[in-house]
Amino acid sequence: MCNREQLYSQTWDNALLTVVHLIEQEKVAYTLIGESALVIQGIRPDPICGKIEVSVQWDAFARIREVFTAYMPETTVKRKRTASFTFTIDAVQIEISCHFGTVIRTDPDRIFILRGDQKIFVKSPDAYLRSFSPTHRFYKATKKYLCKLQNSDSGLNRQAWNEEAYQAWIGRFGTPEEAAARIRRDPEGRLLRLIPYFDSKRIKGKKVMNLLGSHGEKALALTLLGAEVTVADISQENATYARRTAEALGVTIQYVVSDVLRLPEQIRRPVYDIVLMEFGVLHYFVDLAPLAQLVYDLLKPGGRLILQEFHPISTKLVTTRGKRQIVFGNYFDKSFREREVAYGKHLPSDDQVTLRKRVTLREWTLGETVTAFASTGLRVERLDEAPNTKISDIGLPKTFTLLCSKNVE
């Protein structure tokens, strides 16, 4: 960025912080919209920042206009559903608008980011992916940003999952030899809730891709039942545990250590009868579209996706404390969150160890998940929701299973 652009960018930031500060002093809800919402999140459709657009709660619109009287705002423009006025701060154009009859605080696309110590409310990237065509500069810039963020997150996740995962699985399942003995005794039992979606009598010879297959238990159970299984996962430690368990079982699985969105071309081919993903995998993706397209590309005509996941009601909204069910979150929250890596609970308690094992997650609603896979052209055949089996959680969904198929050409 040249000095002129840097100077303007700093002026733009200062103007934005001034606007936000004055609105927050009035305790009025607001959201950055348009290009300014993208820029403040690190998404730049253009080298030079455009005008700053802020939407405020409609019944406080007149009061907010008075706040900016010193900046000599232009005449308010009223339309059927909106109103707006513009002014400038240090040559930066500002537009304040409102949408009549709407409540800003309940907008599912409203998220916040931190700019230093300042919390700033903005429209989420998802809003622009839904609102604009793939050729629009906002859409392109948002996709580019999400791809960059996914690559960064994959690096952090790879580091976290390659620290002590092998030792964690020994703590959870025992040695590979002990894990192998359990799988050998009852391979169908190790598939647990997946059984209704597999015909164990017809699985022999089927090509299965287990995306994010972790320690390999499901893949190895399917292998014992006669399937030809490939596992793809980012963790070398997961692969080591799975391969040693396979060796103890006397079977072979192909385990590809890779970011699944960057699978080698010889692997990413439409040859699989089944693509399997299960439990705690979707939240590693900041954009589900590339993952859904990968699944479509892997399945041969007539092939099926079996996705089994934790229900977002239980992961995003409701928890249980004692015998009480408590609403703890926002089902529609689109924020990126940092949490302890999943296997951390199987390691000895050590604050320094725990701090190293953080991963960035994005939790998805049921609607977002189904839409992502259906949008590729996959046919949604079933969506099953399973209840929680704890008495204190009676009536709450715990998991869901999405079954899709690829049309026969």
Side-chain angles (χ1 to χ4, degrees), residues 178-395:
E178 291 169 331
R182 280 193 299 274
I183 297 171
R184 183 182 291 109
R185 278 196 301 270
D186 184 11
E188 289 191 18
R190 306 320 298 175
L191 295 174
L192 299 173
R193 298 171 190 161
L194 289 168
I195 282 293
Y197 305 96
F198 285 98
D199 184 343
S200 59
K201 295 180 181 178
R202 300 179 61 184
I203 195 66
K204 187 174 183 179
K206 297 292 185 182
K207 291 180 68 69
V208 178
M209 168 59 80
N210 186 190
L211 292 177
L212 294 98
S214 191
H215 47 76
E217 181 183 61
K218 301 299 188 295
L220 291 168
L222 288 168
T223 301
L224 284 183
L225 294 173
E228 182 184 336
V229 185
T230 300
V231 181
D233 192 277
I234 204 167
S235 171
Q236 182 62 57
E237 293 223 345
N238 283 347
T240 300
Y241 189 88
R243 287 168 179 158
R244 290 179 181 175
T245 306
E247 183 179 355
L249 279 169
V251 299
T252 301
I253 60 169
Q254 182 178 19
Y255 203 115
V256 181
V257 178
S258 170
D259 178 344
V260 297
L261 296 180
R262 297 183 174 184
L263 287 179
E265 287 301 316
Q266 66 269 27
I267 300 296
R268 188 170 179 150
R269 296 184 297 123
V271 296
Y272 296 94
D273 298 286
I274 296 169
V275 171
L276 170 65
M277 291 187 288
E278 52 103 26
F279 294 137
V281 295
L282 294 184
H283 55 211
Y284 288 112
F285 299 90
V286 300
D287 182 3
L288 286 182
L291 175 64
Q293 187 60 54
L294 168 65
V295 170
Y296 185 89
D297 292 345
L298 290 170
L299 287 173
K300 69 181 186 181
R304 294 183 301 156
L305 162 69
I306 302 174
L307 167 64
Q308 199 163 79
E309 258 289 9
F310 296 112
H311 201 291
I313 290 292
S314 66
T315 59
K316 300 189 70 173
L317 188 61
V318 180
T319 190
T320 301
R321 293 179 185 171
K323 296 182 179 180
R324 297 178 58 197
Q325 294 173 355
I326 298 172
V327 175
F328 71 91
N330 178 354
Y331 182 79
F332 296 99
D333 185 10
K334 301 175 185 295
S335 302
F336 303 121
R337 300 183 181 278
E338 191 179 79
R339 291 186 182 174
E340 181 184 347
V341 69
Y343 66 77
K345 60 187 176 183
H346 303 305
L347 290 169
S349 178
D350 183 330
D351 290 342
Q352 295 304 312
V353 171
T354 302
L355 285 173
R356 291 201 307 269
K357 295 170 176 59
R358 308 294 292 184
V359 290
T360 302
L361 307 176
R362 161 72 154 90
E363 294 175 327
W364 300 91
T365 67
L366 202 55
E368 289 170 330
T369 301
V370 174
T371 299
F373 290 98
S375 295
T376 65
L378 291 174
R379 178 175 176 270
V380 176
E381 295 185 353
R382 290 177 63 177
L383 175 61
D384 297 330
E385 298 169 281
N388 202 308
T389 56
K390 294 180 180 179
I391 295 297
S392 58
D393 286 333
I394 190 169

